[in-house]
Amino acid sequence: MEMEDQMESQKRRGMSKEDLISERTGSLGCCGWLIVILSGLMTFCLFPFTIWFCLKIVQEYERAVIFRLGRITDRKAKGPGIFFILPCTDSFVKVDLRTVSFDIPPQEILTKDSVTVCVDGVVYFRVSDPIASVANVSNADFSTRLLAQTTLRNVLGTKNLSEVLSDREGIAHSMQSSLDEATDDWGIKVERVEIKDVKLPVQLQRAMAAEAEAAREARAKVIAAEGEMNASRALKEASLVIAESPSALQLRYLQTLNTIAAEKNSTIIFPLPMDVMSHFMRK
């Protein structure tokens, strides 16, 4: 018995979505057609009263999947607008085709480099095949929500912390592809997945802040050292130019005096040439 159940499940997994629907929309059989005919005759005989039980209306954004004696009557859902059912043998399920969004609850995930992070997101999906969403899964909305949580864990478990923080768009695209492929048999189309927030432990935040501050200080020291080196090169070139022309030093003295005088201070600087001082020192 277990062997037959396993073979049946493998057979169903190998069948496409259209094949599964075709299997469910099989013939009603002689007894079934007899019941349908009797229901139709009763409806016709009580026509003024049964009209209110036969006519149904669905909105523009809805579709109706009709079951006749437990079997799906057509491969295509009914609607929008008015459609007809038999009151005794038919039942129908309304399916909303509008896009639905839901938040993925925060998930504590261990990344590839053994760092625990808390990640949440949002998923947008809609029903693309009403019949498959009713016939292939008991609750398509709830199943998609659970699958989104497990998919988020599986995808982020293969990423490093740096990839989780920097490559959110790639992670969202990978999640969307995985969810869309998994929910295709349920008649669900995943339109968009977004990663909302990535929460790191407090100690890790402090460590990353200290690391970033140390990196900034190191860069500042390197820039200051490069500035000192460039300034020393410029002073060396200036000294070579002044050495070639002694009058350039006198012009530099006058320029310095002009700069000091423009500041309107009480300090007076009188430059004295070193040649004059050396003459007195020799005596």
Side-chain angles (χ1 to χ4, degrees):
M1 189 64 179
E2 295 180 356
M3 182 76 67
E4 293 179 357
D5 293 340
Q6 292 178 1
M7 293 178 63
E8 183 67 21
S9 62
Q10 291 178 359
K11 179 181 177 182
R12 287 181 175 275
R13 284 196 296 266
M15 296 173 65
S16 64
K17 183 169 58 177
E18 290 78 7
D19 294 335
L20 290 173
I21 296 174
S22 299
E23 182 183 0
R24 294 188 177 95
T25 57
S27 176
L28 297 176
C30 296
C31 183
W33 281 113
L34 179 61
I35 295 174
V36 171
I37 292 173
L38 292 176
S39 177
L41 290 176
M42 185 186 68
T43 303
F44 179 77
C45 294
L46 303 176
F47 173 70
F49 304 100
T50 56
I51 187 66
W52 307 108
F53 301 97
C54 295
L55 295 180
K56 301 295 179 180
I57 300 175
V58 291
Q59 303 295 331
E60 180 68 29
Y61 53 84
E62 293 178 334
R63 296 296 184 271
V65 180
I66 301 177
F67 292 88
R68 178 164 295 164
L69 296 178
R71 288 185 173 274
I72 299 175
T73 59
D74 196 355
R75 294 186 180 183
K76 185 177 180 182
K78 300 296 182 181
I82 301 175
F83 62 94
F84 177 84
I85 64 172
L86 294 176
C88 298
T89 59
D90 293 356
S91 62
F92 68 96
V93 178
K94 287 184 179 181
V95 180
D96 196 329
L97 301 183
R98 292 177 293 184
T99 299
V100 179
S101 63
F102 66 89
D103 292 329
I104 302 176
Q107 305 290 315
E108 290 189 358
I109 300 168
L110 186 65
T111 61
K112 189 177 180 180
D113 49 355
S114 301
V115 178
T116 303
V117 295
C118 188
V119 184
D120 59 353
V122 61
V123 178
Y124 300 86
F125 73 95
R126 60 179 175 85
V127 176
S128 60
D129 190 343
I131 297 179
S133 66
V134 173
N136 293 350
V137 62
S138 61
N139 191 332
D141 182 85
F142 184 68
S143 300
T144 304
R145 293 172 186 267
L146 293 181
L147 184 61
Q149 297 179 24
T150 57
T151 303
L152 178 63
R153 287 178 172 271
N154 294 337
V155 171
L156 293 183
T158 61
K159 303 292 184 179
N160 296 324
L161 178 61
S162 58
E163 295 176 348
V164 173
L165 297 176
S166 61
D167 191 20
R168 294 191 180 187
E169 184 177 354
I171 294 173
H173 181 70
S174 178
M175 281 189 59
Q176 179 182 354
S177 301
S178 300
L179 281 174
D180 197 18
E181 181 179 359
T183 58
D184 183 60
D185 292 336
W186 301 344
I188 299 296
K189 173 64 178 177
V190 179
E191 296 182 341
R192 191 177 182 88
V193 178
E194 292 293 340
I195 302 298
K196 291 175 61 177
D197 190 16
V198 179
K199 297 181 181 179
L200 302 177
V202 178
Q203 295 180 352
L204 182 59
Q205 293 180 11
R206 294 175 181 175
M208 294 178 66
E211 181 182 0
E213 185 178 358
R216 287 193 297 269
E217 291 180 356
R219 287 196 298 269
K221 291 180 179 179
V222 170
I223 293 173
E226 292 178 353
E228 292 291 339
M229 182 177 63
N230 295 332
S232 62
R233 289 178 180 176
L235 290 174
K236 179 181 178 181
E237 294 177 358
S239 63
L240 293 176
V241 172
I242 292 175
E244 294 176 358
S245 178
S247 60
L249 183 60
Q250 300 294 331
L251 294 176
R252 184 58 182 167
Y253 288 160
L254 296 175
Q255 185 179 3
T256 304
L257 288 175
N258 186 24
T259 303
I260 295 174
E263 295 179 357
K264 297 181 180 180
N265 52 26
S266 59
T267 304
I268 298 176
I269 298 176
F270 182 75
L272 188 63
M274 295 299 297
D275 297 340
V276 177
M277 295 297 297
S278 61
H279 178 72
F280 287 105
M281 291 176 65
R282 290 174 184 176
K283 292 183 178 181

mmCIF file with all atom_site columns, all heavy atoms in Angstrom, residues 78-101:
data_model
loop_
_atom_site.group_PDB
_atom_site.id
_atom_site.type_symbol
_atom_site.label_atom_id
_atom_site.label_alt_id
_atom_site.label_comp_id
_atom_site.label_asym_id
_atom_site.label_entity_id
_atom_site.label_seq_id
_atom_site.pdbx_PDB_ins_code
_atom_site.Cartn_x
_atom_site.Cartn_y
_atom_site.Cartn_z
_atom_site.occupancy
_atom_site.B_iso_or_equiv
_atom_site.pdbx_formal_charge
_atom_site.auth_seq_id
_atom_site.auth_comp_id
_atom_site.auth_asym_id
_atom_site.auth_atom_id
_atom_site.pdbx_PDB_model_num
ATOM 1   N N   . LYS A 1 78  ? -14.765 31.220 -14.109 1.00 0.00 ? 78  LYS A N   1
ATOM 2   C CA  . LYS A 1 78  ? -15.836 32.080 -14.575 1.00 0.00 ? 78  LYS A CA  1
ATOM 3   C C   . LYS A 1 78  ? -15.650 33.504 -14.044 1.00 0.00 ? 78  LYS A C   1
ATOM 4   O O   . LYS A 1 78  ? -15.129 33.720 -12.958 1.00 0.00 ? 78  LYS A O   1
ATOM 5   C CB  . LYS A 1 78  ? -17.189 31.552 -14.103 1.00 0.00 ? 78  LYS A CB  1
ATOM 6   C CG  . LYS A 1 78  ? -17.524 30.163 -14.598 1.00 0.00 ? 78  LYS A CG  1
ATOM 7   C CD  . LYS A 1 78  ? -17.676 30.107 -16.101 1.00 0.00 ? 78  LYS A CD  1
ATOM 8   C CE  . LYS A 1 78  ? -18.070 28.710 -16.549 1.00 0.00 ? 78  LYS A CE  1
ATOM 9   N NZ  . LYS A 1 78  ? -18.208 28.620 -18.026 1.00 0.00 ? 78  LYS A NZ  1
ATOM 10  N N   . GLY A 1 79  ? -16.156 34.457 -14.827 1.00 0.00 ? 79  GLY A N   1
ATOM 11  C CA  . GLY A 1 79  ? -16.116 35.843 -14.407 1.00 0.00 ? 79  GLY A CA  1
ATOM 12  C C   . GLY A 1 79  ? -15.179 36.666 -15.269 1.00 0.00 ? 79  GLY A C   1
ATOM 13  O O   . GLY A 1 79  ? -14.445 36.134 -16.105 1.00 0.00 ? 79  GLY A O   1
ATOM 14  N N   . PRO A 1 80  ? -15.247 37.988 -15.080 1.00 0.00 ? 80  PRO A N   1
ATOM 15  C CA  . PRO A 1 80  ? -16.127 38.692 -14.137 1.00 0.00 ? 80  PRO A CA  1
ATOM 16  C C   . PRO A 1 80  ? -17.541 38.874 -14.700 1.00 0.00 ? 80  PRO A C   1
ATOM 17  O O   . PRO A 1 80  ? -17.772 38.695 -15.881 1.00 0.00 ? 80  PRO A O   1
ATOM 18  C CB  . PRO A 1 80  ? -15.432 40.036 -13.985 1.00 0.00 ? 80  PRO A CB  1
ATOM 19  C CG  . PRO A 1 80  ? -14.756 40.248 -15.304 1.00 0.00 ? 80  PRO A CG  1
ATOM 20  C CD  . PRO A 1 80  ? -14.309 38.887 -15.774 1.00 0.00 ? 80  PRO A CD  1
ATOM 21  N N   . GLY A 1 81  ? -18.484 39.228 -13.802 1.00 0.00 ? 81  GLY A N   1
ATOM 22  C CA  . GLY A 1 81  ? -19.858 39.444 -14.217 1.00 0.00 ? 81  GLY A CA  1
ATOM 23  C C   . GLY A 1 81  ? -20.785 38.351 -13.705 1.00 0.00 ? 81  GLY A C   1
ATOM 24  O O   . GLY A 1 81  ? -20.585 37.771 -12.641 1.00 0.00 ? 81  GLY A O   1
ATOM 25  N N   . ILE A 1 82  ? -21.821 38.031 -14.510 1.00 0.00 ? 82  ILE A N   1
ATOM 26  C CA  . ILE A 1 82  ? -22.857 37.074 -14.124 1.00 0.00 ? 82  ILE A CA  1
ATOM 27  C C   . ILE A 1 82  ? -22.545 35.709 -14.724 1.00 0.00 ? 82  ILE A C   1
ATOM 28  O O   . ILE A 1 82  ? -22.107 35.613 -15.876 1.00 0.00 ? 82  ILE A O   1
ATOM 29  C CB  . ILE A 1 82  ? -24.241 37.559 -14.602 1.00 0.00 ? 82  ILE A CB  1
ATOM 30  C CG1 . ILE A 1 82  ? -24.561 38.930 -13.995 1.00 0.00 ? 82  ILE A CG1 1
ATOM 31  C CG2 . ILE A 1 82  ? -25.329 36.561 -14.229 1.00 0.00 ? 82  ILE A CG2 1
ATOM 32  C CD1 . ILE A 1 82  ? -25.847 39.528 -14.507 1.00 0.00 ? 82  ILE A CD1 1
ATOM 33  N N   . PHE A 1 83  ? -22.769 34.650 -13.950 1.00 0.00 ? 83  PHE A N   1
ATOM 34  C CA  . PHE A 1 83  ? -22.659 33.292 -14.456 1.00 0.00 ? 83  PHE A CA  1
ATOM 35  C C   . PHE A 1 83  ? -23.758 32.444 -13.826 1.00 0.00 ? 83  PHE A C   1
ATOM 36  O O   . PHE A 1 83  ? -24.395 32.842 -12.839 1.00 0.00 ? 83  PHE A O   1
ATOM 37  C CB  . PHE A 1 83  ? -21.270 32.709 -14.191 1.00 0.00 ? 83  PHE A CB  1
ATOM 38  C CG  . PHE A 1 83  ? -20.910 32.601 -12.732 1.00 0.00 ? 83  PHE A CG  1
ATOM 39  C CD1 . PHE A 1 83  ? -21.127 31.424 -12.027 1.00 0.00 ? 83  PHE A CD1 1
ATOM 40  C CD2 . PHE A 1 83  ? -20.352 33.693 -12.072 1.00 0.00 ? 83  PHE A CD2 1
ATOM 41  C CE1 . PHE A 1 83  ? -20.803 31.332 -10.692 1.00 0.00 ? 83  PHE A CE1 1
ATOM 42  C CE2 . PHE A 1 83  ? -20.017 33.604 -10.732 1.00 0.00 ? 83  PHE A CE2 1
ATOM 43  C CZ  . PHE A 1 83  ? -20.239 32.423 -10.037 1.00 0.00 ? 83  PHE A CZ  1
ATOM 44  N N   . PHE A 1 84  ? -23.949 31.253 -14.393 1.00 0.00 ? 84  PHE A N   1
ATOM 45  C CA  . PHE A 1 84  ? -25.093 30.410 -14.030 1.00 0.00 ? 84  PHE A CA  1
ATOM 46  C C   . PHE A 1 84  ? -24.590 29.119 -13.392 1.00 0.00 ? 84  PHE A C   1
ATOM 47  O O   . PHE A 1 84  ? -23.621 28.506 -13.870 1.00 0.00 ? 84  PHE A O   1
ATOM 48  C CB  . PHE A 1 84  ? -25.904 30.103 -15.290 1.00 0.00 ? 84  PHE A CB  1
ATOM 49  C CG  . PHE A 1 84  ? -27.060 29.180 -15.063 1.00 0.00 ? 84  PHE A CG  1
ATOM 50  C CD1 . PHE A 1 84  ? -28.278 29.665 -14.611 1.00 0.00 ? 84  PHE A CD1 1
ATOM 51  C CD2 . PHE A 1 84  ? -26.924 27.819 -15.296 1.00 0.00 ? 84  PHE A CD2 1
ATOM 52  C CE1 . PHE A 1 84  ? -29.345 28.809 -14.398 1.00 0.00 ? 84  PHE A CE1 1
ATOM 53  C CE2 . PHE A 1 84  ? -27.993 26.968 -15.083 1.00 0.00 ? 84  PHE A CE2 1
ATOM 54  C CZ  . PHE A 1 84  ? -29.207 27.456 -14.634 1.00 0.00 ? 84  PHE A CZ  1
ATOM 55  N N   . ILE A 1 85  ? -25.251 28.681 -12.307 1.00 0.00 ? 85  ILE A N   1
ATOM 56  C CA  . ILE A 1 85  ? -24.943 27.410 -11.667 1.00 0.00 ? 85  ILE A CA  1
ATOM 57  C C   . ILE A 1 85  ? -26.249 26.679 -11.376 1.00 0.00 ? 85  ILE A C   1
ATOM 58  O O   . ILE A 1 85  ? -27.321 27.297 -11.309 1.00 0.00 ? 85  ILE A O   1
ATOM 59  C CB  . ILE A 1 85  ? -24.148 27.598 -10.355 1.00 0.00 ? 85  ILE A CB  1
ATOM 60  C CG1 . ILE A 1 85  ? -24.981 28.352 -9.314  1.00 0.00 ? 85  ILE A CG1 1
ATOM 61  C CG2 . ILE A 1 85  ? -22.815 28.275 -10.610 1.00 0.00 ? 85  ILE A CG2 1
ATOM 62  C CD1 . ILE A 1 85  ? -24.336 28.399 -7.939  1.00 0.00 ? 85  ILE A CD1 1
ATOM 63  N N   . LEU A 1 86  ? -26.133 25.383 -11.186 1.00 0.00 ? 86  LEU A N   1
ATOM 64  C CA  . LEU A 1 86  ? -27.274 24.588 -10.751 1.00 0.00 ? 86  LEU A CA  1
ATOM 65  C C   . LEU A 1 86  ? -27.298 24.572 -9.229  1.00 0.00 ? 86  LEU A C   1
ATOM 66  O O   . LEU A 1 86  ? -26.286 24.251 -8.586  1.00 0.00 ? 86  LEU A O   1
ATOM 67  C CB  . LEU A 1 86  ? -27.167 23.157 -11.293 1.00 0.00 ? 86  LEU A CB  1
ATOM 68  C CG  . LEU A 1 86  ? -27.276 23.011 -12.816 1.00 0.00 ? 86  LEU A CG  1
ATOM 69  C CD1 . LEU A 1 86  ? -27.047 21.566 -13.225 1.00 0.00 ? 86  LEU A CD1 1
ATOM 70  C CD2 . LEU A 1 86  ? -28.626 23.511 -13.312 1.00 0.00 ? 86  LEU A CD2 1
ATOM 71  N N   . PRO A 1 87  ? -28.411 24.887 -8.616  1.00 0.00 ? 87  PRO A N   1
ATOM 72  C CA  . PRO A 1 87  ? -28.445 25.086 -7.168  1.00 0.00 ? 87  PRO A CA  1
ATOM 73  C C   . PRO A 1 87  ? -28.144 23.837 -6.356  1.00 0.00 ? 87  PRO A C   1
ATOM 74  O O   . PRO A 1 87  ? -27.607 23.922 -5.265  1.00 0.00 ? 87  PRO A O   1
ATOM 75  C CB  . PRO A 1 87  ? -29.854 25.610 -6.904  1.00 0.00 ? 87  PRO A CB  1
ATOM 76  C CG  . PRO A 1 87  ? -30.653 25.261 -8.100  1.00 0.00 ? 87  PRO A CG  1
ATOM 77  C CD  . PRO A 1 87  ? -29.720 25.158 -9.242  1.00 0.00 ? 87  PRO A CD  1
ATOM 78  N N   . CYS A 1 88  ? -28.474 22.647 -6.819  1.00 0.00 ? 88  CYS A N   1
ATOM 79  C CA  . CYS A 1 88  ? -28.328 21.437 -6.008  1.00 0.00 ? 88  CYS A CA  1
ATOM 80  C C   . CYS A 1 88  ? -26.994 20.719 -6.224  1.00 0.00 ? 88  CYS A C   1
ATOM 81  O O   . CYS A 1 88  ? -26.521 20.015 -5.327  1.00 0.00 ? 88  CYS A O   1
ATOM 82  C CB  . CYS A 1 88  ? -29.465 20.461 -6.315  1.00 0.00 ? 88  CYS A CB  1
ATOM 83  S SG  . CYS A 1 88  ? -31.107 21.133 -5.910  1.00 0.00 ? 88  CYS A SG  1
ATOM 84  N N   . THR A 1 89  ? -26.399 20.881 -7.377  1.00 0.00 ? 89  THR A N   1
ATOM 85  C CA  . THR A 1 89  ? -25.193 20.105 -7.707  1.00 0.00 ? 89  THR A CA  1
ATOM 86  C C   . THR A 1 89  ? -23.922 20.949 -7.782  1.00 0.00 ? 89  THR A C   1
ATOM 87  O O   . THR A 1 89  ? -22.829 20.390 -7.733  1.00 0.00 ? 89  THR A O   1
ATOM 88  C CB  . THR A 1 89  ? -25.380 19.404 -9.060  1.00 0.00 ? 89  THR A CB  1
ATOM 89  O OG1 . THR A 1 89  ? -25.619 20.392 -10.074 1.00 0.00 ? 89  THR A OG1 1
ATOM 90  C CG2 . THR A 1 89  ? -26.554 18.441 -8.992  1.00 0.00 ? 89  THR A CG2 1
ATOM 91  N N   . ASP A 1 90  ? -24.062 22.249 -7.944  1.00 0.00 ? 90  ASP A N   1
ATOM 92  C CA  . ASP A 1 90  ? -22.891 23.103 -8.159  1.00 0.00 ? 90  ASP A CA  1
ATOM 93  C C   . ASP A 1 90  ? -22.559 23.912 -6.913  1.00 0.00 ? 90  ASP A C   1
ATOM 94  O O   . ASP A 1 90  ? -23.446 24.326 -6.164  1.00 0.00 ? 90  ASP A O   1
ATOM 95  C CB  . ASP A 1 90  ? -23.127 24.069 -9.325  1.00 0.00 ? 90  ASP A CB  1
ATOM 96  C CG  . ASP A 1 90  ? -23.228 23.342 -10.650 1.00 0.00 ? 90  ASP A CG  1
ATOM 97  O OD1 . ASP A 1 90  ? -23.043 22.101 -10.657 1.00 0.00 ? 90  ASP A OD1 1
ATOM 98  O OD2 . ASP A 1 90  ? -23.505 23.991 -11.669 1.00 0.00 ? 90  ASP A OD2 1
ATOM 99  N N   . SER A 1 91  ? -21.280 24.115 -6.730  1.00 0.00 ? 91  SER A N   1
ATOM 100 C CA  . SER A 1 91  ? -20.760 25.045 -5.723  1.00 0.00 ? 91  SER A CA  1
ATOM 101 C C   . SER A 1 91  ? -19.578 25.771 -6.338  1.00 0.00 ? 91  SER A C   1
ATOM 102 O O   . SER A 1 91  ? -18.979 25.287 -7.312  1.00 0.00 ? 91  SER A O   1
ATOM 103 C CB  . SER A 1 91  ? -20.338 24.309 -4.448  1.00 0.00 ? 91  SER A CB  1
ATOM 104 O OG  . SER A 1 91  ? -19.286 23.397 -4.730  1.00 0.00 ? 91  SER A OG  1
ATOM 105 N N   . PHE A 1 92  ? -19.246 26.925 -5.805  1.00 0.00 ? 92  PHE A N   1
ATOM 106 C CA  . PHE A 1 92  ? -18.147 27.690 -6.401  1.00 0.00 ? 92  PHE A CA  1
ATOM 107 C C   . PHE A 1 92  ? -17.319 28.351 -5.296  1.00 0.00 ? 92  PHE A C   1
ATOM 108 O O   . PHE A 1 92  ? -17.780 28.557 -4.175  1.00 0.00 ? 92  PHE A O   1
ATOM 109 C CB  . PHE A 1 92  ? -18.666 28.747 -7.383  1.00 0.00 ? 92  PHE A CB  1
ATOM 110 C CG  . PHE A 1 92  ? -19.424 29.872 -6.743  1.00 0.00 ? 92  PHE A CG  1
ATOM 111 C CD1 . PHE A 1 92  ? -18.794 31.070 -6.431  1.00 0.00 ? 92  PHE A CD1 1
ATOM 112 C CD2 . PHE A 1 92  ? -20.775 29.741 -6.438  1.00 0.00 ? 92  PHE A CD2 1
ATOM 113 C CE1 . PHE A 1 92  ? -19.484 32.111 -5.839  1.00 0.00 ? 92  PHE A CE1 1
ATOM 114 C CE2 . PHE A 1 92  ? -21.476 30.766 -5.848  1.00 0.00 ? 92  PHE A CE2 1
ATOM 115 C CZ  . PHE A 1 92  ? -20.839 31.960 -5.545  1.00 0.00 ? 92  PHE A CZ  1
ATOM 116 N N   . VAL A 1 93  ? -16.063 28.674 -5.658  1.00 0.00 ? 93  VAL A N   1
ATOM 117 C CA  . VAL A 1 93  ? -15.120 29.331 -4.756  1.00 0.00 ? 93  VAL A CA  1
ATOM 118 C C   . VAL A 1 93  ? -14.633 30.591 -5.444  1.00 0.00 ? 93  VAL A C   1
ATOM 119 O O   . VAL A 1 93  ? -14.168 30.545 -6.597  1.00 0.00 ? 93  VAL A O   1
ATOM 120 C CB  . VAL A 1 93  ? -13.928 28.416 -4.417  1.00 0.00 ? 93  VAL A CB  1
ATOM 121 C CG1 . VAL A 1 93  ? -12.926 29.144 -3.516  1.00 0.00 ? 93  VAL A CG1 1
ATOM 122 C CG2 . VAL A 1 93  ? -14.404 27.131 -3.753  1.00 0.00 ? 93  VAL A CG2 1
ATOM 123 N N   . LYS A 1 94  ? -14.721 31.718 -4.760  1.00 0.00 ? 94  LYS A N   1
ATOM 124 C CA  . LYS A 1 94  ? -14.225 32.979 -5.305  1.00 0.00 ? 94  LYS A CA  1
ATOM 125 C C   . LYS A 1 94  ? -12.727 33.112 -5.042  1.00 0.00 ? 94  LYS A C   1
ATOM 126 O O   . LYS A 1 94  ? -12.251 32.783 -3.956  1.00 0.00 ? 94  LYS A O   1
ATOM 127 C CB  . LYS A 1 94  ? -14.958 34.162 -4.676  1.00 0.00 ? 94  LYS A CB  1
ATOM 128 C CG  . LYS A 1 94  ? -16.393 34.345 -5.137  1.00 0.00 ? 94  LYS A CG  1
ATOM 129 C CD  . LYS A 1 94  ? -16.995 35.595 -4.539  1.00 0.00 ? 94  LYS A CD  1
ATOM 130 C CE  . LYS A 1 94  ? -18.424 35.799 -5.001  1.00 0.00 ? 94  LYS A CE  1
ATOM 131 N NZ  . LYS A 1 94  ? -19.016 37.045 -4.425  1.00 0.00 ? 94  LYS A NZ  1
ATOM 132 N N   . VAL A 1 95  ? -12.028 33.601 -6.058  1.00 0.00 ? 95  VAL A N   1
ATOM 133 C CA  . VAL A 1 95  ? -10.586 33.812 -5.960  1.00 0.00 ? 95  VAL A CA  1
ATOM 134 C C   . VAL A 1 95  ? -10.293 35.257 -6.309  1.00 0.00 ? 95  VAL A C   1
ATOM 135 O O   . VAL A 1 95  ? -10.721 35.748 -7.362  1.00 0.00 ? 95  VAL A O   1
ATOM 136 C CB  . VAL A 1 95  ? -9.805  32.870 -6.900  1.00 0.00 ? 95  VAL A CB  1
ATOM 137 C CG1 . VAL A 1 95  ? -8.309  33.123 -6.776  1.00 0.00 ? 95  VAL A CG1 1
ATOM 138 C CG2 . VAL A 1 95  ? -10.129 31.419 -6.582  1.00 0.00 ? 95  VAL A CG2 1
ATOM 139 N N   . ASP A 1 96  ? -9.558  35.945 -5.444  1.00 0.00 ? 96  ASP A N   1
ATOM 140 C CA  . ASP A 1 96  ? -9.188  37.351 -5.653  1.00 0.00 ? 96  ASP A CA  1
ATOM 141 C C   . ASP A 1 96  ? -7.900  37.409 -6.471  1.00 0.00 ? 96  ASP A C   1
ATOM 142 O O   . ASP A 1 96  ? -6.894  36.795 -6.107  1.00 0.00 ? 96  ASP A O   1
ATOM 143 C CB  . ASP A 1 96  ? -8.990  38.039 -4.298  1.00 0.00 ? 96  ASP A CB  1
ATOM 144 C CG  . ASP A 1 96  ? -9.000  39.565 -4.424  1.00 0.00 ? 96  ASP A CG  1
ATOM 145 O OD1 . ASP A 1 96  ? -8.582  40.067 -5.485  1.00 0.00 ? 96  ASP A OD1 1
ATOM 146 O OD2 . ASP A 1 96  ? -9.418  40.237 -3.465  1.00 0.00 ? 96  ASP A OD2 1
ATOM 147 N N   . LEU A 1 97  ? -7.919  38.158 -7.568  1.00 0.00 ? 97  LEU A N   1
ATOM 148 C CA  . LEU A 1 97  ? -6.756  38.267 -8.465  1.00 0.00 ? 97  LEU A CA  1
ATOM 149 C C   . LEU A 1 97  ? -5.883  39.475 -8.168  1.00 0.00 ? 97  LEU A C   1
ATOM 150 O O   . LEU A 1 97  ? -4.863  39.676 -8.844  1.00 0.00 ? 97  LEU A O   1
ATOM 151 C CB  . LEU A 1 97  ? -7.219  38.330 -9.922  1.00 0.00 ? 97  LEU A CB  1
ATOM 152 C CG  . LEU A 1 97  ? -8.049  37.151 -10.431 1.00 0.00 ? 97  LEU A CG  1
ATOM 153 C CD1 . LEU A 1 97  ? -8.353  37.339 -11.909 1.00 0.00 ? 97  LEU A CD1 1
ATOM 154 C CD2 . LEU A 1 97  ? -7.335  35.834 -10.199 1.00 0.00 ? 97  LEU A CD2 1
ATOM 155 N N   . ARG A 1 98  ? -6.235  40.292 -7.196  1.00 0.00 ? 98  ARG A N   1
ATOM 156 C CA  . ARG A 1 98  ? -5.440  41.486 -6.898  1.00 0.00 ? 98  ARG A CA  1
ATOM 157 C C   . ARG A 1 98  ? -4.108  41.118 -6.238  1.00 0.00 ? 98  ARG A C   1
ATOM 158 O O   . ARG A 1 98  ? -3.981  40.067 -5.604  1.00 0.00 ? 98  ARG A O   1
ATOM 159 C CB  . ARG A 1 98  ? -6.233  42.425 -5.995  1.00 0.00 ? 98  ARG A CB  1
ATOM 160 C CG  . ARG A 1 98  ? -7.436  43.054 -6.671  1.00 0.00 ? 98  ARG A CG  1
ATOM 161 C CD  . ARG A 1 98  ? -8.231  43.915 -5.705  1.00 0.00 ? 98  ARG A CD  1
ATOM 162 N NE  . ARG A 1 98  ? -8.867  43.112 -4.664  1.00 0.00 ? 98  ARG A NE  1
ATOM 163 C CZ  . ARG A 1 98  ? -9.674  43.606 -3.736  1.00 0.00 ? 98  ARG A CZ  1
ATOM 164 N NH1 . ARG A 1 98  ? -9.929  44.907 -3.725  1.00 0.00 ? 98  ARG A NH1 1
ATOM 165 N NH2 . ARG A 1 98  ? -10.219 42.817 -2.835  1.00 0.00 ? 98  ARG A NH2 1
ATOM 166 N N   . THR A 1 99  ? -3.144  42.005 -6.394  1.00 0.00 ? 99  THR A N   1
ATOM 167 C CA  . THR A 1 99  ? -1.830  41.787 -5.787  1.00 0.00 ? 99  THR A CA  1
ATOM 168 C C   . THR A 1 99  ? -1.917  41.906 -4.274  1.00 0.00 ? 99  THR A C   1
ATOM 169 O O   . THR A 1 99  ? -2.508  42.851 -3.749  1.00 0.00 ? 99  THR A O   1
ATOM 170 C CB  . THR A 1 99  ? -0.814  42.804 -6.334  1.00 0.00 ? 99  THR A CB  1
ATOM 171 O OG1 . THR A 1 99  ? -0.698  42.637 -7.753  1.00 0.00 ? 99  THR A OG1 1
ATOM 172 C CG2 . THR A 1 99  ? 0.550   42.596 -5.699  1.00 0.00 ? 99  THR A CG2 1
ATOM 173 N N   . VAL A 1 100 ? -1.322  40.953 -3.592  1.00 0.00 ? 100 VAL A N   1
ATOM 174 C CA  . VAL A 1 100 ? -1.324  40.898 -2.131  1.00 0.00 ? 100 VAL A CA  1
ATOM 175 C C   . VAL A 1 100 ? 0.101   41.085 -1.640  1.00 0.00 ? 100 VAL A C   1
ATOM 176 O O   . VAL A 1 100 ? 1.046   40.523 -2.213  1.00 0.00 ? 100 VAL A O   1
ATOM 177 C CB  . VAL A 1 100 ? -1.901  39.562 -1.624  1.00 0.00 ? 100 VAL A CB  1
ATOM 178 C CG1 . VAL A 1 100 ? -1.888  39.508 -0.101  1.00 0.00 ? 100 VAL A CG1 1
ATOM 179 C CG2 . VAL A 1 100 ? -3.304  39.359 -2.149  1.00 0.00 ? 100 VAL A CG2 1
ATOM 180 N N   . SER A 1 101 ? 0.259   41.874 -0.600  1.00 0.00 ? 101 SER A N   1
ATOM 181 C CA  . SER A 1 101 ? 1.570   42.074 0.010   1.00 0.00 ? 101 SER A CA  1
ATOM 182 C C   . SER A 1 101 ? 1.524   41.640 1.464   1.00 0.00 ? 101 SER A C   1
ATOM 183 O O   . SER A 1 101 ? 0.500   41.798 2.135   1.00 0.00 ? 101 SER A O   1
ATOM 184 C CB  . SER A 1 101 ? 1.992   43.549 -0.088  1.00 0.00 ? 101 SER A CB  1
ATOM 185 O OG  . SER A 1 101 ? 1.111   44.369 0.640   1.00 0.00 ? 101 SER A OG  1
#
